[in-house]
Amino acid sequence: MGSLVPIPLDATWVRFPRFVGDAVMQFPILRLLRQMGIGPLVVSGPAHTVSLVQDHELADCVVPETKKYGVIDLYKVFKENRAARSIHFPKSLRPAIAAWLAGVPERIGVSDGGQFLFNTHHAPFWNTSGPFIARYHAALAKRWPDLPSLSFADYVPAIQVDKTKNSYICLMPGSVWPSKSWPVEYFHELARIARESALDVVILGAASEKELGDAISDGYGQNLCGQTNLRQAAAWLHGAVAAVGNDSG
């Protein structure tokens, strides 16, 4: 585990999950903490998801993990850096137990899976209804009863890419579940329609999806599968007029 800048002591630590979609849902939390003047904010978690807030106003420090860290590893980090608060919404028990062992004064998370035993403030997650964001807000409100509503995260990637000058759409055809994948021919037809509508087409995905991207982009778009990291992909998405993708996992 390493940090790109010195880790501030007595900070509020926000845990990012490993799935990109779940990590993105932490953005409104960071924005809300900023609005409330709570800080410094340290974001920790898998390197690929925490990279989204590297050099970004939403975080004062990013602590990326290049491998899966156990409870003892996380405990040491909390202890060495005198964490004042840990906010951890992933399903894993590891951050909650580690923060408890390290004596972090405030530990905010969910009640499920035995986490209520280790968190000082918590609310049910799986055993309740409503959007995930609303469930996170309910847990935070246990600490701050007068908590404002969660606002739009207003996330602007802290990186620039060499974009097309024309209006464009982004297509993300990849998925780890074939049953959740839109047929390739449909993506190809959509790319054709977009080009006929004077829109450029940009295809985003992993290197393993390059062949899939080639089949879709054939004559109609730019295949960037395997050519962007997560921050660069976010920068492309930020300027798109539309984005179409699968439940990628």
Side-chain angles (χ1 to χ4, degrees):
M1 181 182 291
S3 171
L4 301 180
V5 298
I7 302 175
L9 300 178
D10 303 309
T12 292
W13 287 61
V14 178
R15 179 77 185 178
F16 265 31
R18 64 189 180 96
F19 287 115
V20 177
D22 292 331
V24 167
M25 285 190 285
Q26 310 307 305
F27 291 171
I29 294 170
L30 294 172
R31 178 66 67 192
L32 183 59
L33 295 172
R34 278 282 190 243
Q35 291 173 350
M36 295 169 62
I38 294 172
L41 297 178
V42 174
V43 174
S44 67
H48 67 286
T49 55
V50 300
S51 71
L52 288 168
V53 289
Q54 178 185 327
D55 303 320
H56 198 279
E57 62 170 341
L58 288 178
D60 296 299
C61 178
V62 168
V63 181
E65 299 169 9
T66 55
K67 65 176 184 178
K68 186 174 181 178
Y69 281 77
V71 169
I72 299 303
D73 298 304
L74 296 175
Y75 153 78
K76 290 178 179 178
V77 173
F78 282 135
K79 196 72 173 178
E80 290 171 3
N81 296 284
R82 267 193 354 238
R85 181 182 294 113
S86 174
I87 299 174
H88 39 257
F89 289 121
K91 291 181 288 185
S92 171
L93 267 171
R94 291 179 297 116
I97 295 175
W100 174 73
L101 287 173
V104 177
E106 293 184 5
R107 306 178 297 277
I108 303 170
V110 301
S111 306
D112 310 72
Q115 292 198 43
F116 70 93
L117 295 170
F118 307 101
N119 291 329
T120 58
H121 304 84
H122 51 83
F125 186 79
W126 294 112
N127 296 323
T128 188
S129 59
F132 282 15
I133 293 292
R135 302 181 205 183
Y136 297 153
H137 188 271
L140 292 170
K142 296 293 183 178
R143 168 58 179 85
W144 297 284
D146 299 325
L147 190 70
S149 299
L150 280 173
S151 61
F152 180 62
D154 193 25
Y155 173 78
V156 179
I159 192 172
Q160 298 293 322
V161 293
D162 187 16
K163 299 179 182 178
T164 172
K165 294 181 180 179
N166 301 325
S167 296
Y168 65 92
I169 66 170
C170 288
L171 304 182
M172 291 82 68
S175 177
V176 296
W177 296 294
S179 62
K180 293 188 176 183
S181 296
W182 208 35
V184 175
E185 57 269 25
Y186 289 11
F187 275 109
H188 186 264
E189 177 66 7
L190 179 57
R192 183 191 66 78
I193 293 172
R195 289 298 296 127
E196 291 183 352
S197 302
L199 289 172
D200 285 349
V201 176
V202 176
I203 301 170
L204 301 172
S208 59
E209 295 159 355
K210 184 181 183 304
E211 185 175 343
L212 178 61
D214 285 340
I216 295 167
S217 65
D218 185 24
Y220 297 121
Q222 181 180 7
N223 181 14
L224 295 183
C225 291
Q227 299 182 39
T228 64
N229 59 32
L230 199 53
R231 291 205 300 165
Q232 291 167 333
W236 274 103
L237 287 166
H238 182 70
V241 297
V244 179
N246 299 311
D247 181 352
S248 65

